[in-house]
Amino acid sequence: MKSTFKKLMAVILALLMAVAIVPLFMTAESSASVTFTGIDTLMIYNPLIYYEEYPSVRTNSLSTGNMSGQIKTTSGNVLKQAAISGENSGRKLISAAEIRELLESQRGVVANAVYDIESVEANPAAVGDTKAFWIQTDLLNSYTNQKVQMTCRASGTYCNIWGNSTFTNTEMAEDMANEFDSQIYLTDTQTFGSARFAENGVKVDILVYTISYGGDTRSICGYFYGGDLFTAAELRDDAPYYNTGTPIIHINSVYCTAAFARVAYVTLAHEFQHLINFTSTLKNSQNGDLVEMGVWLNEAMSMQAEEINYPGEVQDQGYIEYSYNTSTDIAGGQSLYCFDTNNDIGVYGQGFLFSEYIRNQFDIGLEVFGRLHQRWRTCSSSALNDAANLEYALGSAVRSSINAGTAYDQAVITAINNTDNSSDTAYDSESVFLSKLNLAFQISTVLHDSSGIYSLPSSCSTANPKLYTSNTASIQGGGRIFVKTADGNSYTVPTGADSKLIYVGFKNGEMVIPPTTAGSYAPVVSVSPTTKPTSTPTPTPTPTPTPTPTPEPRADSDPNAAPDLDLNPNVDPDPNADAHAGHGYKYAGALRNYHFLWRCKC
């Protein structure tokens, strides 16, 4: 009897435990589901930071969970106007990542030397002079590296135009020299700063020859190779091939004709900014680790160089309507901070939009780009990172507006801090600011407000993000997707969705749910302007109250911080310079790690 009684009690207890435990698990699972109502479009944003230099460990991707049944799967764009489809050129699109690998053999050439920016003498050249330069005629095939004699086709005030047998048109060369002298050199240096060696009588050597990619001569318009800037004393004795101590821009001769002159000129403006940008790293005596700006921010400024030299040319070439509005990679959650193209050049259009966005936010316009470069030339390595640079350059007024416009809860702030590229343990206000700035920028591409943090200038009026239509998405840090709700009214967050994702709801092109995590979402009942009352939304099971955001601590000003340029009384000095170490990409004197920047365009 006792044995039977014990067995019976054991069964009863087991049943009681099952009854008690199962509802607890069910409640935890169902409470993860939150329903956003009154929306036809939803933006899902990953607020973490992506580090392109460490793609294997720093993608910081977050999953949306399975959205099956929640979203429409028909392709299209967020706004009503139709997206432009089809390619506006027959040219092959070359991946930025591919070209970085193509020049690999040229990278490990820098010795541990002091970078001497004064040792190169002026390089006057007369038309008809010859000089040997290293060139690579096919970027896909390293065996095409060769040292060739090139002839000076034209000599200007700030440049020499050199050509091999594929470029002999002296009239076009003279036009290029005049254009560079009177337009590009003056505009770029006034906006971004001086270029290494391209001052005090030293000219930019513009090498014009046919550049192909696997035999395709229309793929690449031109590129800049940082190795050309180093002197022989700064390079290893066994360096394979290099042009020493000369500021050089490589231009494809296919586009140096009267018919394509505009392409050649905007490419020159684009690549010259890259030369200036690389100069900002080398001219900084405190930048001992040779931290360089992120490729994405560098490219954004090169797109801006095109716009300020040739207003409207970026739009005319379809970088918004074609490359951005139809980009599958960006629509699928590729980070703003990632410039790998994978034959999808939407990143160039997005870079242009971002440069126009920050120019529009800063009330003295173009000076923001000068501030970005100036800070990079003055701060120590530990203070150099894209987030801190943008926070400083945009100034206190923009920083206050951005921070006031979005309140991140503590879980998101902690996640950003834990996954940034630094070893600090304090809240990283710089990265949090960049995350919020990017979020506001992404929202602006839909709202197109005339002023405020969600505004874009008229040059970006055709921006229209492409919709995501698959059932699941893995969104990179700093990336987003836009989806259309299946019923045109609501979206229930899948149980498997990461809790750190930020949601923004739209209805008829207007934002109706400001940025929120699923856990912080509290439905607001609004009254319709008609006499008929609006029905009360169905409450989410066990709703989580919105937590009070924890103020983001800020580091004290550092004496090594870049000086305020006094461009605007509302702009204050960088409050966080040197506060967080190791955010940037540290090259440690090894040229093999440099990003070499070029222009691949459609």
Side-chain angles (χ1 to χ4, degrees):
M1 287 288 294
K2 289 181 179 179
S3 175
T4 303
F5 177 78
K6 287 182 178 180
K7 290 180 180 179
L8 179 61
M9 290 301 297
V11 171
I12 293 173
L13 286 172
L15 289 173
L16 288 173
M17 290 178 65
V19 171
I21 292 173
V22 170
L24 289 176
F25 282 119
M26 292 178 63
T27 301
E29 182 175 307
S30 62
S31 66
S33 296
V34 173
T35 299
F36 299 105
T37 59
I39 59 173
D40 56 30
T41 306
L42 187 68
M43 184 180 88
I44 308 176
Y45 172 72
N46 181 343
L48 305 183
I49 306 298
Y50 174 101
Y51 296 94
E52 187 173 16
E53 61 271 23
Y54 306 116
S56 61
V57 295
R58 294 292 182 183
T59 57
N60 292 335
S61 296
L62 300 179
S63 174
T64 62
N66 191 335
M67 301 180 290
S68 179
Q70 298 292 321
I71 65 171
K72 293 182 179 179
T73 56
T74 53
S75 60
N77 288 67
V78 173
L79 304 177
K80 292 183 179 179
Q81 63 260 36
I84 294 177
S85 61
E87 191 174 329
N88 66 352
S89 168
R91 277 173 270 174
K92 178 180 173 62
L93 309 179
I94 305 303
S95 164
E98 286 180 284
I99 296 183
R100 282 201 292 272
E101 295 304 317
L102 296 177
L103 296 175
E104 181 64 36
S105 59
Q106 297 187 12
R107 294 179 183 173
V109 300
V110 176
N112 293 322
V114 175
Y115 300 104
D116 182 359
I117 66 175
E118 305 296 340
S119 64
V120 175
E121 297 179 356
N123 54 342
V127 175
D129 287 355
T130 60
K131 184 178 178 180
F133 292 95
W134 280 102
I135 63 172
Q136 185 170 342
T137 56
D138 192 324
L139 292 183
L140 185 60
N141 302 306
S142 61
Y143 65 80
T144 64
N145 285 291
Q146 53 190 293
K147 197 169 189 177
V148 300
Q149 290 291 324
M150 303 192 82
T151 302
C152 183
R153 308 297 183 192
S155 182
T157 304
Y158 302 112
C159 67
N160 299 314
I161 310 294
W162 302 86
N164 63 0
S165 59
T166 68
F167 181 66
T168 61
N169 188 335
T170 56
E171 182 178 357
M172 179 64 192
E174 291 173 356
D175 288 345
M176 290 180 66
N178 290 333
E179 188 72 13
F180 187 82
D181 285 349
S182 63
Q183 176 64 43
I184 297 168
Y185 181 88
L186 296 175
T187 302
D188 276 16
T189 55
Q190 288 170 4
T191 303
F192 305 109
S194 61
R196 190 184 195 214
F197 303 149
E199 51 195 340
N200 302 323
V202 179
K203 301 179 183 180
V204 178
D205 284 324
I206 300 171
L207 310 186
V208 184
Y209 57 97
T210 301
I211 306 171
S212 68
Y213 179 85
D216 182 353
T217 60
R218 291 170 56 83
S219 299
I220 299 167
C221 296
Y223 67 92
F224 161 71
Y225 171 45
D228 292 333
L229 287 171
F230 293 93
T231 65
E234 295 167 346
L235 300 174
R236 292 201 324 256
D237 292 337
D238 61 341
Y241 33 75
Y242 45 82
N243 299 303
T244 58
T246 304
I248 288 177
I249 294 174
H250 301 255
I251 297 293
N252 192 345
S253 60
V254 169
Y255 299 107
C256 294
T257 65
F260 292 103
R262 194 77 162 184
V263 175
Y265 296 158
V266 296
T267 302
L268 274 173
H270 184 112
E271 300 304 330
F272 189 43
Q273 191 285 139
H274 286 322
L275 191 158
I276 293 171
N277 200 294
F278 195 65
T279 297
S280 294
T281 294
L282 298 181
K283 276 200 167 185
N284 184 348
S285 61
Q286 297 189 66
N287 188 4
D289 293 322
L290 288 185
V291 179
E292 195 183 4
M293 283 186 208
V295 176
W296 70 277
L297 186 56
N298 191 341
E299 289 287 354
M301 284 191 282
S302 274
M303 295 305 295
Q304 186 64 212
E306 295 187 27
E307 177 68 12
I308 61 179
N309 278 282
Y310 305 100
E313 190 69 18
V314 172
Q315 299 92 306
D316 290 346
Q317 293 186 49
Y319 276 109
I320 298 177
E321 292 94 332
Y322 170 64
S323 71
Y324 174 76
N325 288 353
T326 65
S327 172
T328 300
D329 288 352
I330 294 174
Q334 178 170 311
S335 174
L336 170 69
Y337 323 126
C338 174
F339 212 80
D340 282 348
T341 61
N342 192 29
N343 293 339
D344 179 340
I345 63 167
V347 288
Y348 285 95
Q350 181 169 241
F352 170 69
L353 289 171
F354 182 78
S355 73
E356 286 286 85
Y357 174 77
I358 62 174
R359 173 182 172 182
N360 187 58
Q361 290 297 314
F362 196 50
D363 62 6
I364 54 174
L366 289 175
E367 296 292 350
V368 66
F369 303 112
R371 290 179 64 85
L372 286 168
H373 278 273
Q374 180 62 22
R375 185 181 188 278
W376 217 266
R377 295 183 185 211
T378 56
C379 286
S380 63
S381 300
S382 60
L384 291 176
N385 64 83
D386 297 333
N389 200 13
L390 281 162
E391 185 179 45
Y392 162 75
L394 286 165
S396 59
V398 176
R399 181 169 64 242
S400 296
S401 296
I402 293 294
N403 285 327
T406 303
Y408 279 178
D409 62 33
Q410 188 58 60
V412 172
I413 293 173
T414 300
I416 292 173
N417 181 59
N418 289 341
T419 56
D420 69 8
N421 187 23
S422 66
S423 58
D424 63 86
T425 56
Y427 298 135
D428 187 353
S429 61
E430 298 161 352
S431 293
V432 171
F433 171 77
L434 176 58
S435 176
K436 292 181 179 181
L437 179 70
N438 183 11
L439 173 60
F441 160 66
Q442 300 294 351
I443 294 172
S444 76
T445 64
V446 175
L447 296 185
H448 292 272
D449 284 353
S450 57
S451 62
I453 63 172
Y454 302 136
S455 64
L456 281 174
S458 58
S459 58
C460 307
S461 61
T462 56
N464 186 3
K466 184 178 180 179
L467 292 170
Y468 186 74
T469 57
S470 297
N471 287 328
T472 60
S474 179
I475 305 174
Q476 292 179 347
R480 85 300 186 265
I481 65 171
F482 286 94
V483 295
K484 287 289 185 183
T485 56
D487 63 0
N489 183 67
S490 63
Y491 176 88
T492 300
V493 178
T495 302
D498 193 284
S499 62
K500 294 179 286 294
L501 289 170
I502 303 291
Y503 299 87
V504 183
F506 301 89
K507 185 73 172 183
N508 297 325
E510 298 295 330
M511 183 169 65
V512 293
I513 298 178
T516 180
T517 59
S520 298
Y521 174 61
V524 176
V525 180
S526 59
V527 179
S528 172
T530 62
T531 55
K532 183 177 180 180
T534 303
S535 58
T536 302
T538 302
T540 302
T542 317
T544 303
T546 303
T548 302
T550 301
E552 299 155 24
R554 309 190 62 79
D556 294 335
S557 298
D558 189 279
N560 292 323
D564 189 1
L565 301 186
D566 292 328
L567 300 175
N568 188 315
N570 292 323
V571 178
D572 59 354
D574 178 18
N576 296 308
D578 262 345
H580 305 287
H583 293 259
Y585 187 4
K586 293 190 176 181
Y587 292 90
L591 188 60
R592 65 181 178 275
N593 291 325
Y594 285 150
H595 290 297
F596 295 107
L597 305 167
W598 54 88
R599 185 147 188 268
C600 308
K601 59 190 289 295
C602 67

